Amino acid sequence: GDSGNPLNFEVNIDGTGWVPAKWNCVDCEGTPPTFVNWAQQTIDLSLGPILPVVSFSEANYNVTEGGNVMIQVNLNEAGTQTITVDYASADIVGGAVAGADYTAVSGQLTFDPGIQNQSFYLYTIDDSLVEGVELLNVVLNNANGATLGMPNQATVTIIEDDVPPLPEVHFATEVVFAG
């Protein structure tokens, strides 16, 4: 194969600072190519195994106040090992409030080998207040055995079910004639 093509970059060894490094390609047609430095150390440029990507199936979910919504989490491909990802609800400033408008959720989803879909439920709280539409987020983090993909945050819209009262109308009971 082709040899002598240099690979120039900087390395930081044990946090002591960045230093230039020059490696020469000794097998540039290999997959991956093989490079050596002056001390005949070999580096591996392969990417390693490509992990499945975990994300919400949708970026937006709607639920009527007092109802619940199933939040779906998917892998883009089934894993060969167990995969876990943490999830949690999160208030949005000026939006829905955990404990008053919905029941906070958090936990961990487990995808056994071959499984691509998991879900959890978010429950909303019905009240008699006319509040309009309220928003909150659900987030994914700490993926183990997978890469966190997009969307890893989804918005849940709580749709108001309370109707504002009709205005009261009062009629005068006394009639006055000018004359």
Side-chain angles (χ1 to χ4, degrees):
D2 190 15
S3 65
N5 294 325
L7 175 66
N8 296 303
F9 57 95
E10 292 183 337
V11 295
N12 188 341
I13 302 171
D14 299 328
T16 58
W18 293 94
V19 295
K22 182 175 183 177
W23 295 66
N24 288 317
C25 184
V26 295
D27 180 9
C28 298
E29 295 176 9
T31 305
T34 302
F35 289 84
V36 296
N37 68 1
W38 59 271
Q40 297 299 306
Q41 296 170 315
T42 303
I43 60 172
D44 182 1
L45 297 179
S46 64
L47 297 175
I50 306 243
L51 298 174
V53 177
V54 61
S55 61
F56 287 113
S57 65
E58 299 177 39
N60 297 291
Y61 294 87
N62 295 321
V63 59
T64 301
E65 182 181 68
N68 62 62
V69 60
M70 182 176 74
I71 309 293
Q72 185 80 33
V73 178
N74 300 325
L75 294 173
N76 68 328
E77 62 184 52
T80 58
Q81 298 180 341
T82 299
I83 295 168
T84 60
V85 64
D86 295 340
Y87 66 89
S89 57
D91 290 358
I92 295 176
V93 175
V97 176
D101 299 307
Y102 70 96
T103 302
V105 295
S106 65
Q108 186 175 77
L109 297 173
T110 300
F111 296 83
D112 289 326
I115 301 298
Q116 286 185 260
N117 305 302
Q118 292 289 2
S119 60
F120 62 92
Y121 283 89
L122 181 92
Y123 297 90
T124 65
I125 298 170
D126 195 7
D127 59 30
S128 59
L129 302 174
V130 178
E131 303 163 296
V133 170
E134 296 179 289
L135 305 175
L136 67 118
N137 286 330
V138 288
V139 294
L140 297 174
N141 55 46
N142 299 324
N144 184 4
T147 301
L148 202 54
M150 297 297 281
N152 57 22
Q153 175 176 300
T155 301
V156 177
T157 301
I158 302 174
I159 300 166
E160 180 65 65
D161 71 340
D162 298 308
V163 178
L166 295 174
E168 292 185 24
V169 178
H170 298 280
F171 295 98
T173 57
E174 183 177 321
V175 178
V176 177
F177 294 100

